[in-house]
Amino acid sequence: MAERKKTVVLGASPNPVRFSHKAVKSLLRHDQEVVAVGFREGLIVEEEILVGMPHIEDVHTVSIYIGSSRQADYYDYIISLKPKRVIFNPGTVNPEFMGRLSREGIEPLAECMLVLLNEEEY
């Protein structure tokens, strides 16, 4: 079994056609611990979507599903979670924030989390 990596899906949506929704389901299928954080309350399978900027301990990965234009409000929050890495999924790449994360010792990755999971490279 692959190492479990607590993952925060930022931008999680209760809408099943959204990639953030698919990401939460895929993490659960791959037996990863997931915390869904979004803009609206709801459920993804049995996972409750938390709203706002909840305090979360022992985060390994933050997977971003919000566009770069909305990310600035979350810079300090994401850094406060002390993740080892932040995955910028397609459509979310933000060179400014990626540079800041690198300076903070957090690995920024411009990848598709769904692909990483499916190829067992997560």
Side-chain angles (χ1 to χ4, degrees), residues 78-79 82-86 98 101-102 104-108:
I78 292 168
I79 291 167
K82 298 180 174 73
K84 294 185 182 353
R85 66 182 177 180
V86 174
M98 293 172 92
L101 289 169
S102 291
E104 295 279 346
I106 300 167
E107 179 185 14

Side-chain angles (χ1 to χ4, degrees), residues 62-119:
V62 174
S63 187
I64 296 180
Y65 286 91
I66 56 175
S68 58
S69 64
R70 294 181 79 178
Q71 290 173 19
D73 293 340
Y74 291 89
Y75 288 1
D76 291 337
Y77 172 65
I78 292 168
I79 291 167
S80 78
L81 296 175
K82 298 180 174 73
K84 294 185 182 353
R85 66 182 177 180
V86 174
I87 298 174
F88 290 82
N89 289 280
T92 69
V93 173
N94 181 340
E96 172 193 349
F97 188 33
M98 293 172 92
R100 182 170 171 194
L101 289 169
S102 291
R103 291 188 295 279
E104 295 279 346
I106 300 167
E107 179 185 14
L109 288 174
E111 297 283 347
C112 176
M113 191 184 74
L114 291 168
V115 171
L116 293 174
L117 285 165
N118 288 335
E119 294 182 356

Side-chain angles (χ1 to χ4, degrees), residues 1 10 17-18 20-21 25-26 29 31 33 39-40 47 49 53 64 80 82 88 91 97 99 109 117:
M1 182 174 93
L10 187 59
V17 302
R18 304 291 300 202
S20 61
H21 186 99
K25 288 175 71 173
S26 186
R29 273 195 312 277
D31 196 34
E33 185 176 356
F39 301 111
R40 292 182 314 179
E47 287 300 314
I49 299 172
M53 297 182 190
I64 296 180
S80 78
K82 298 180 174 73
F88 290 82
F97 188 33
L109 288 174
L117 285 165

